[in-house]
Amino acid sequence: MMKFRFRRQGADPQREKIKQELFAFNKTVEHGFPHQPSALAFDPVLQLMAIGTRAGAIKVYGAPGVEFTGLHRDTTSVTQIHFLPGQGRLLSLLDDNTIHLWELTAMAPRQVGGVKREGVVVLQEVASYSLPGRPGIESCSTTRVTVLLLQRSCHVLCIGTEGGGVYFLDLAILSLKDNQTVLQDQVTQSLPEDYRCGKSLGPVESLQEHPRQAGKILIGYSRGLVVLWDVGGRQVEQLFLGKQQLESLVWERSGNLFVSSHSDGGYSVWAVASGNANHQQPVSSAIPYGPFPCKAINKILWRTTETGSPMLLYSGGMPRASYGDRHCLTIQQDKEHVTLDFTSRVIDFFTVHNVEQEKEWDEPSALLVLLEEELVVIDLQTPGWPTLPTPYLAPLHSSAVTCSCHISSVPPKLWERLLNAGKAQQGRQQTSKKWPICGGKNLAPPPTQQELLLTGHEDGTVRFWDASGVALTPLYKIGTANVFHTDCDPGDDPSNDPDMQQEEEWPPFKKVGCFDPYSDDPRLGIQKISLCKYSSKLVVAGTAGQVIVLGLNDESSDHTVDVSVVDLLQDREGFTWKGHDRLDPRLKPAPFPPGFQPQVLVQCMPPASVTAVALHAEWNLIAFGTSHGFGLFDYHRRNAVLARCTLHPNDSLAMEGPLSRVKSLKKSLRQSFRRIRKSRVSGKKRPITTPTSKVQEANAALAEQEDVAPIQRRIEPRSADDSLSGVVRCLCFADTFLRDGTHHGPTLWAGTNSGSVYAYALEVPGVGSGRGPERGVGGEGSAGVEAVLGKEIQLMHRAPVVSICVLDGHAKPLPDPYEASQDLASAPDMSSAHSVLIASEEQLKVFSLPKVSAKTKFKLTAHEGCRVRKVALAVFSSTAQEDYSEHTLVCLTNMGDMHLFNIPGLRPQVRYDCIRKEDISGIASCVFTRNGQGFYLVSPSEYERFSLSAKVLTQALCCVGVDRLMASSHGMTLLPHANGTHKNQMGQAEGPTEMSPSSLSSPILDTPLDSPLSCADLTLDSTGELTVEDVRDFLTSVDEEENNLKNIQEEDEHSAGILIN
C-alpha cells in the first residue's frame, strides 16, 4: 500500500489565541482533611484556624470557602503554630529549629475565569529566624526550641529550649533582646537546697503569660518545677515545687491560680498568692483514672463558666493496663464527666470562648479537637455535648476511598431530596448550631450549578459530597452492608450486651468521630458507581461481584431486595474459581432509612471484582463487567438479558481473584521469561520479501522528499496469552447506527483488556428507530429486551481498551438518558453518519459507523512513549465569547500529564504536567468533570482539584478584615501553592501547536473531516501491518457481504488509497 501524508502547516496565530481563551491549567484547591497534621492554632479575634502538616504546609481556614495555603521551602514538619491575634500574621516552628513569620497579604486585582477580582488575600512567608547556639557549646541540643509563647503585646516572642533557657525575640527586627535571657542557673540559685539535689531542671515544657499582669510568665520545667518570672524585674517572683514530670500548664482566667498536668496521669491546682515565694504543695491534686498507673495528661485546659463550676478538659490520662491504647479527651464539669473516645491520636485542641478582658467568665461554646485523621468539633453549650457536622475538613478516608464519580448540573429536586436524607441521618448525636470558625469573607461568586462528588469506600459505603465550591461538604451516606449477612450485623455487636455496658461504665467512654479504617469484610468494597440524576437511580458494584440497583425514596421502608444471579462463565469447562466466596444476601425484609434504598441485587458468578458498570435508566438497563466477562440486566423486569464470557483459554490467573493467595510465583516467573523470549525473537525477525515491498520502498523514497515525520517508537503486539486478558475495562450504551446507515437503535459496547470491542444491537420494547421511548410500555406482559451481537473489533496490538464513546453526526457526544427526551439538552444529530471513539492504552482512534472503518487516529505511545490511563470528553467554554465552546478529549497518561485533543480530528491541542509519575494512586484515582475540571487523590485523605479550562475555575477567593492589609503592597501576583504539589500555570498553553485555521464564528468542530484544514497535521500511514484492526460484522446479510467484497475488489484495481492503521 502507498503511504499518504499531508504536509504539516505552521501554527495559526488565530487558533493559538482561541486555545488561550479555552485552555489553562491550574491546581485550584485541596478538598478533604490535611494529610499527617502536626500543629494547630486559633485566632480568637479574626476567628481563623490554622493547621500545620509534617510536609511543611500551613492551611488557614475560616468560614466555609475561606482557605489560605502556604508551604515552607523545606518539607520539614511543622511542630507549632501561633497566631498574632487580629493581625493576620502567624508564626510557625519547624522541626529543623527554625521560626517563620507568615502574613495574609492582599494581591493586586487580577482576572479569574475572565472576571476581574479585587481584594483577594493570600498567605505568604515574610521572614524566618533560627536561634543561635550558645558560645563554647558544640551541641545545638541546648538551644533546640521546645515551646513558643507570644506575649499579649505581640511584639515579643518567648522561646523555651531543651537546655532550660528562655529567650526573648523582638519580632519587629527578629533579633534577641539583650540581657533578658533566662538561663537555668539563674533559676537554680533561688531553689531550696533540698529541691536542688544536683539535678537539672530539664527542658522548658510550657510557657504561659499571666492573664491580668503583662510581663509575668509561668515557666514550667520538665522535672516539675514551675516558676513565675517577672520579665521587667528579671527575677523569680514565686516558685511552685512540683515533684512529678510536667506536661503542660494553663492559667485560670482571674490569674489567681493555674493548673499543671503531669506524666503520671494526674493534674494539680496551684494558688498564686502574693507574699509567699515558695509553694511546696498544690491546693488540690487528682489522678482522675487512678489509682493504677496511668498515661500522661499531655494538655489541660481550665475554663470558667457563669454557673460557678469550671470546665476541665484534658487529653490522655488513661489507665495504662486497661486502656493505654485508647485516644481520649476528657470533659469534666461538676458531676458531668465524659471521656471522648477517638479512633486516631489527638494532636492538639482548643476551645472557642470569651477572650475580652472585660468579660468575667470564659463561657466556652465549642471544643475543636485536631486528630491525626480528622477534626472533631464538640458543642459545649448543648446538654450531652454533641458533635457539630463539619462543613469542610471532613475525612474523605473515614474508610479508604476505592472509587469516585462526579455529577454536574444536579437537578434542584434531587439536590433537595439528598439534603433531607442527609439531615435525617444526623440524628441526636449531632447539633445544628453555627460553625464556630467563621472568619474571613468568601469573594467567590455563588456556584452556577450544583455538583456532586460520589466516593465509594472499602466498608461498602457511598458518600455524597457537595463539590460546587471550595468547601467539600458531606451531604449524605449510604451503606450496602445491610443487604448482606456480614460479621458486622447489629445483633452481633458486643456493645449491645447490657453486661458489657455495665462493665465498661468507667471510664465513661463516648465514641466520637467518623474515621474508621477497619472494614469488617473486604468483599463489601465499592469498585464502581453510576448515578442517573434525572431518574434518581444509582448503581454500585463491589469487590465480590455484587451489583446493586438503588432508588431514591423519601420515606423509610421495610422490604426484601430481589436477588438475581448471572453466570458469566456460561458453563465453560476447565475453569475453577479459587478466589473469595460471594456475600450471602439477606432473604428476609430489612429496614431501610429514607434516601437511596436497594431494589435489586445482581450477583455475578464467579464473584470477581466488578471492573466496569454502565446504567441507562431510560431503558431500565444496567451493564456490568468483571475479569470473566460482561452481562446485561433489565432491572425493571428483573431478568438477565445477556451474559458473555471474555476469558482466553490460557487466562487461568483470572480465576484466582484479587483476595486469593494461591498465585504461583513459579508460574508468574515462567510467563515473564516467555514474554522476554518472545520480544527478543520478534526483534530478530527479518522482513520477508513480498509483492508489497516495492510499494513500501516507494513510500520511503516519497517520505525522504517530504517533511520528515517525528520518529515513532516501535510498539510490540501483546500476547493473547497474557493473564487477565478477559478483564472488561469499559461499557457504554448508545442510540446509534449499528445495523445499517438508515436505522438507529439502542446498542451496548464493551471493551476488554486484550483489545477486543464487542458491539451489541439491543431490542428494547418501546424504543425504536426515529421514535423515543413510550412511557408505560414494557409491563410484565410485554416482550423483554433482546441483545444481538453486531460487531466484534480486535485491535491488533491487543492494547487494553480504556474508553468507548459514540459521537453523533456533528461529532458531539450523545446526550445522557432523559436529556433529549425531556428537552434538557439538544437532540443528537441523526441525519449524518455517527462515529465511535475507541481509546486504548496505546492510541486513540475514531471509526465510522456502521461500517466500522477507521477515520482518524493518534498513536500516543508511539509518539510520546506513554500509555493512556484515563479518558473523558469535556466542554471548554471561551473566556472571550460567551456562546463559543468546543468538545475536547482529555487524556491522562501513566506519566501524569494531560493531553487534550479535538474531536473527531484527534489533533493535539495542549499538554500539561499534572500529577507526578511516581504517584500511581493519584493517577488511578483521577476523575474528570464535564466542564474541564478534575479531582485526584493527592494523599489518602485529600483530593486535589484542578482545572484545564480558562473559564471554569473553582478556587479560594477570599479576604480578611485586617487594617494592615489595606496598606500592603499591591504588586504581588503569585497564587498560593497547595501542599507543595504544584505551581499554578497561567501562561500560554504549552504543547503541540500545529492547528488548522479557524475562527470563533466557524468552530473547528464543524470542519469536515476530509477537509485539508481538518487533517493538516495528521499523518496517516500503513507502515505497521500489525495495527490493522480485525472487524467482524454479525448483522450484514449474504447479499451485503457480496456487495462489500465486490466493492473491495474494485478499489484494489484502482490506485492505492489511504490505509489507516
Side-chain angles (χ1 to χ4, degrees):
M1 282 291 185
M2 181 179 291
K3 185 192 322 187
F4 186 92
R5 175 182 282 110
F6 293 105
R7 289 185 180 272
R8 297 180 182 272
Q9 295 183 356
D12 178 46
Q14 187 178 7
R15 180 59 192 172
E16 291 304 310
K17 182 175 181 294
I18 294 175
K19 287 200 295 184
Q20 292 182 28
E21 296 167 352
L22 291 173
F23 311 118
F25 178 71
N26 288 282
K27 290 188 178 179
T28 54
V29 68
E30 290 178 356
H31 296 303
F33 184 76
H35 184 51
Q36 295 182 331
S38 55
L40 177 69
F42 177 59
D43 186 340
V45 178
L46 297 179
Q47 293 290 301
L48 297 175
M49 175 181 65
I51 295 177
T53 70
R54 295 186 199 170
I58 291 183
K59 298 171 181 286
V60 179
Y61 301 93
V66 177
E67 295 185 11
F68 309 97
T69 302
L71 184 71
H72 293 89
R73 292 181 179 86
D74 298 326
T75 55
T76 308
S77 177
V78 180
T79 57
Q80 293 183 44
I81 306 177
H82 298 271
F83 274 102
L84 280 68
Q87 295 190 18
R89 292 187 176 103
L90 60 88
L91 292 161
S92 62
L93 172 65
L94 300 188
D95 197 39
D96 62 1
N97 214 40
T98 57
I99 300 170
H100 301 257
L101 177 63
W102 296 79
E103 284 186 356
L104 293 173
T105 307
M107 292 181 59
R110 60 188 177 91
Q111 294 284 333
V112 178
V115 181
K116 188 176 182 180
R117 300 293 178 194
E118 296 183 358
V120 178
V121 174
V122 297
L123 180 66
Q124 291 187 336
E125 182 181 348
V126 294
S128 62
Y129 177 80
S130 181
L131 194 65
R134 291 176 59 182
I137 301 179
E138 296 182 0
S139 174
C140 62
S141 62
T142 56
T143 56
R144 181 169 183 81
V145 179
T146 56
V147 63
L148 298 178
L149 169 67
L150 184 68
Q151 291 191 7
R152 197 173 298 110
S153 63
C154 295
H155 298 315
V156 178
L157 178 69
C158 306
I159 305 173
T161 63
E162 196 169 305
V166 179
Y167 301 84
F168 295 84
L169 181 69
D170 189 339
L171 289 178
I173 57 176
L174 288 182
S175 66
L176 294 179
K177 296 179 74 70
D178 295 334
N179 302 322
Q180 287 205 6
T181 302
V182 182
L183 300 178
Q184 272 201 14
D185 299 339
Q186 301 172 251
V187 177
T188 307
Q189 293 172 4
S190 304
L191 292 177
E193 282 294 333
D194 58 343
Y195 192 83
R196 261 187 243 176
C197 302
K199 294 181 181 178
S200 169
L201 299 180
V204 177
E205 289 289 343
S206 181
L207 293 173
Q208 298 291 333
E209 188 176 17
H210 197 291
R212 300 294 180 182
Q213 302 176 28
K216 293 185 178 181
I217 61 173
L218 280 177
I219 305 175
Y221 295 94
S222 177
R223 181 178 159 189
L225 174 68
V226 180
V227 176
L228 181 60
W229 180 263
D230 184 358
V231 178
R234 301 196 71 252
Q235 63 180 359
V236 174
E237 190 162 302
Q238 293 187 51
L239 295 173
F240 304 89
L241 307 177
K243 297 179 181 178
Q244 286 292 338
Q245 182 176 329
L246 183 70
E247 295 290 333
S248 71
L249 296 172
V250 63
W251 278 104
E252 188 261 348
R253 186 180 184 88
S254 65
N256 295 325
L257 55 87
F258 69 89
V259 184
S260 61
S261 67
H262 303 277
S263 62
D264 63 345
Y267 65 88
S268 300
V269 180
W270 302 81
V272 181
S274 58
N276 188 4
N278 293 346
H279 297 266
Q280 299 285 349
Q281 296 294 332
V283 176
S284 64
S285 185
I287 301 179
Y289 300 108
F292 299 107
C294 297
K295 299 194 73 174
I297 294 180
N298 302 310
K299 181 178 179 178
I300 191 165
L301 296 179
W302 178 289
R303 298 290 180 248
T304 58
T305 62
E306 195 172 359
T307 61
S309 299
M311 183 177 289
L312 200 61
L313 309 99
Y314 53 90
S315 60
M318 288 293 103
R320 287 185 178 274
S322 305
Y323 306 109
D325 58 341
R326 298 282 187 104
H327 309 290
C328 298
L329 188 146
T330 301
I331 308 176
Q332 289 180 234
Q333 185 181 23
D334 201 11
K335 296 182 179 180
E336 294 289 327
H337 188 133
V338 170
T339 305
L340 304 179
D341 188 9
F342 305 107
T343 53
S344 59
R345 185 170 59 92
V346 177
I347 303 296
D348 201 353
F349 60 95
F350 65 85
T351 59
V352 179
H353 61 278
N354 296 329
V355 293
E356 297 85 356
Q357 290 286 340
E358 59 272 12
K359 294 293 183 67
E360 186 178 356
W361 314 100
D362 290 320
E363 287 298 335
S365 59
L367 166 68
L368 283 87
V369 187
L370 177 65
L371 306 166
E372 202 167 32
E373 304 294 351
E374 62 182 321
L375 179 75
V376 175
V377 183
I378 307 294
D379 180 6
L380 296 178
Q381 292 185 331
T382 302
W385 297 323
T387 59
L388 268 76
T390 55
Y392 51 83
L393 287 177
L396 289 166
H397 64 317
S398 52
S399 176
V401 177
T402 51
C403 63
S404 57
C405 172
H406 182 271
I407 307 296
S408 58
S409 303
V410 179
K413 186 176 181 181
L414 173 61
W415 189 263
E416 183 181 358
R417 296 175 72 185
L418 287 174
L419 289 178
N420 293 334
K423 290 178 182 177
Q425 279 185 339
Q426 290 182 4
R428 300 178 182 176
Q429 293 296 321
Q430 290 187 332
T431 180
S432 57
K433 286 207 171 181
K434 184 181 177 182
W435 179 246
I437 310 299
C438 53
K441 182 181 179 181
N442 186 8
L443 300 179
T448 57
Q449 62 181 19
Q450 304 292 352
E451 298 182 22
L452 276 176
L453 180 66
L454 280 65
T455 54
H457 298 266
E458 194 178 41
D459 62 353
T461 60
V462 177
R463 286 171 167 81
F464 291 68
W465 307 84
D466 179 2
S468 310
V470 173
L472 189 69
T473 307
L475 297 178
Y476 169 64
K477 180 182 77 170
I478 58 174
T480 59
N482 54 353
V483 181
F484 308 97
H485 288 290
T486 62
D487 296 335
C488 54
D489 288 345
D492 301 334
D493 190 357
S495 63
N496 294 334
D497 187 357
D499 296 333
M500 293 290 291
Q501 290 182 353
Q502 192 70 22
E503 291 179 10
E504 295 188 6
E505 189 175 358
W506 185 261
F509 288 118
K510 177 183 178 182
K511 286 283 186 183
V512 178
C514 60
F515 176 72
D516 185 10
Y518 306 106
S519 175
D520 293 279
D521 195 329
R523 296 175 295 174
L524 290 170
I526 305 297
Q527 297 298 326
K528 297 293 175 182
I529 305 172
S530 181
L531 172 67
C532 176
K533 58 188 177 184
Y534 302 112
S535 64
S536 300
K537 291 290 183 183
L538 175 67
V539 175
V540 297
T543 304
Q546 70 271 28
V547 182
I548 306 173
V549 182
L550 303 98
L552 189 57
N553 189 356
D554 297 328
E555 304 293 335
S556 58
S557 172
D558 286 52
H559 62 267
T560 304
V561 180
D562 296 332
V563 181
S564 180
V565 179
V566 178
D567 182 15
L568 296 179
L569 288 182
Q570 294 294 289
D571 300 326
R572 182 173 294 196
E573 297 180 356
F575 290 94
T576 304
W577 174 247
K578 303 174 184 177
H580 51 264
D581 295 330
R582 58 179 281 189
L583 288 162
D584 294 329
R586 293 183 185 272
L587 302 179
K588 295 181 180 180
F592 298 101
F596 278 100
Q597 299 173 351
Q599 298 174 343
V600 185
L601 166 64
V602 181
Q603 179 62 57
C604 303
M605 296 301 290
S609 178
V610 178
T611 56
V613 74
L615 165 68
H616 200 296
E618 201 166 5
W619 301 338
N620 297 320
L621 295 176
I622 58 170
F624 45 87
T626 70
S627 56
H628 307 114
F630 58 91
L632 180 65
F633 188 84
D634 183 347
Y635 61 83
H636 178 71
R637 297 174 178 81
R638 306 291 203 266
N639 70 302
V641 178
L642 168 69
R644 172 68 185 257
C645 181
T646 56
L647 280 178
H648 189 272
N650 296 334
D651 196 3
S652 59
L653 197 61
M655 306 306 297
E656 298 181 358
L659 303 180
S660 172
R661 299 185 180 181
V662 298
K663 293 182 180 180
S664 170
L665 177 62
K666 185 185 297 183
K667 186 175 184 180
S668 62
L669 288 173
R670 187 184 306 120
Q671 290 176 344
S672 300
F673 280 116
R674 284 177 178 174
R675 282 195 291 268
I676 295 172
R677 191 182 308 117
K678 188 178 297 183
S679 64
R680 288 175 177 172
V681 172
S682 61
K684 294 179 181 179
K685 289 182 179 177
R686 299 184 178 273
I688 302 174
T689 304
T690 61
T692 62
S693 59
K694 294 182 179 180
V695 179
Q696 293 176 359
E697 292 176 2
N699 286 341
L702 182 63
E704 292 177 359
Q705 298 175 6
E706 297 184 359
D707 296 334
V708 179
I711 298 176
Q712 298 183 11
R713 295 164 177 82
R714 178 175 180 177
I715 308 300
E716 294 289 344
R718 307 190 184 194
S719 171
D721 298 339
D722 283 350
S723 61
L724 301 178
S725 60
V727 174
V728 178
R729 294 287 296 270
C730 57
L731 293 163
C732 169
F733 286 107
D735 184 358
T736 188
F737 302 92
L738 190 63
R739 297 179 182 273
D740 52 56
T742 57
H743 302 89
H744 64 87
T747 60
L748 170 66
W749 299 74
T752 71
N753 226 25
S754 59
S756 299
V757 177
Y758 305 92
Y760 281 81
L762 307 179
E763 291 289 343
V764 181
V767 181
S769 176
R771 57 195 177 99
E774 300 173 7
R775 307 296 295 176
V777 182
E780 295 298 333
S782 63
V785 180
E786 296 182 1
V788 180
L789 180 62
K791 311 284 184 184
E792 185 175 333
I793 307 170
Q794 178 61 61
L795 305 180
M796 296 308 292
H797 273 158
R798 299 186 178 275
V801 179
V802 177
S803 174
I804 301 174
C805 180
V806 176
L807 309 176
D808 68 1
H810 292 318
K812 295 181 179 179
L814 299 180
D816 289 338
Y818 290 107
E819 282 189 339
S821 61
Q822 297 184 6
D823 296 328
L824 300 170
S826 58
D829 177 33
M830 293 295 183
S831 60
S832 304
H834 285 196
S835 55
V836 58
L837 169 63
I838 299 178
S840 72
E841 282 193 358
E842 295 176 357
Q843 63 181 354
L844 312 170
K845 213 159 192 179
V846 175
F847 296 87
S848 62
L849 291 177
K851 296 299 183 182
V852 194
S853 58
K855 295 169 69 175
T856 57
K857 67 173 170 63
F858 186 86
K859 296 188 285 186
L860 191 66
T861 303
H863 286 290
E864 304 291 339
C866 52
R867 297 186 183 275
V868 178
R869 285 292 177 258
K870 300 278 183 176
V871 167
L873 287 170
V875 179
F876 289 84
S877 300
S878 172
T879 58
Q881 188 169 333
E882 289 293 331
D883 57 350
Y884 181 77
S885 62
E886 291 186 9
H887 287 271
T888 304
L889 179 69
V890 181
C891 172
L892 172 65
T893 72
N894 65 326
M895 305 300 287
D897 48 3
M898 298 283 180
H899 296 256
L900 275 64
F901 302 87
N902 77 331
I903 53 172
L906 297 182
R907 292 187 301 278
Q909 303 295 299
V910 289
R911 173 192 167 277
Y912 301 114
D913 293 325
C914 181
I915 310 174
R916 293 181 300 107
K917 63 181 180 181
E918 298 85 6
D919 189 2
I920 299 175
S921 61
I923 295 173
S925 63
C926 186
V927 58
F928 296 103
T929 73
R930 294 286 183 89
N931 55 12
Q933 297 188 83
F935 304 81
Y936 70 92
L937 286 173
V938 71
S939 72
S941 59
E942 289 174 294
Y943 270 111
E944 178 83 75
R945 187 171 190 148
F946 62 89
S947 175
L948 302 170
S949 170
K951 185 173 184 179
V952 182
L953 287 89
T954 303
Q955 65 179 8
L957 299 173
C958 39
C959 66
V960 177
V962 181
D963 294 337
R964 176 185 56 80
L965 296 179
M966 305 308 169
S968 63
S969 170
H970 290 277
M972 311 182 78
T973 57
L974 294 174
L975 288 178
H977 298 169
N979 209 19
T981 57
H982 71 274
K983 292 184 179 179
N984 290 284
Q985 302 174 17
M986 298 289 291
Q988 179 176 350
E990 62 183 52
T993 56
E994 301 89 1
M995 189 48 57
S996 60
S998 181
S999 64
L1000 290 176
S1001 59
S1002 178
I1004 194 71
L1005 296 182
D1006 297 333
T1007 305
L1009 186 59
D1010 55 355
S1011 166
L1013 295 180
S1014 174
C1015 299
D1017 62 345
L1018 196 64
T1019 301
L1020 307 179
D1021 58 55
S1022 61
T1023 55
E1025 296 85 0
L1026 290 172
T1027 59
V1028 180
E1029 277 69 35
D1030 177 20
V1031 180
R1032 301 172 63 187
D1033 194 339
F1034 297 88
L1035 296 177
T1036 55
S1037 61
V1038 176
D1039 296 337
E1040 288 178 343
E1041 290 181 354
E1042 292 178 353
N1043 291 335
N1044 292 340
L1045 183 61
K1046 183 178 180 181
N1047 292 336
I1048 293 174
Q1049 292 174 350
E1050 291 176 355
E1051 291 176 358
D1052 289 342
E1053 292 174 0
H1054 292 84
S1055 59
I1058 305 174
L1059 178 62
I1060 306 177
N1061 58 343

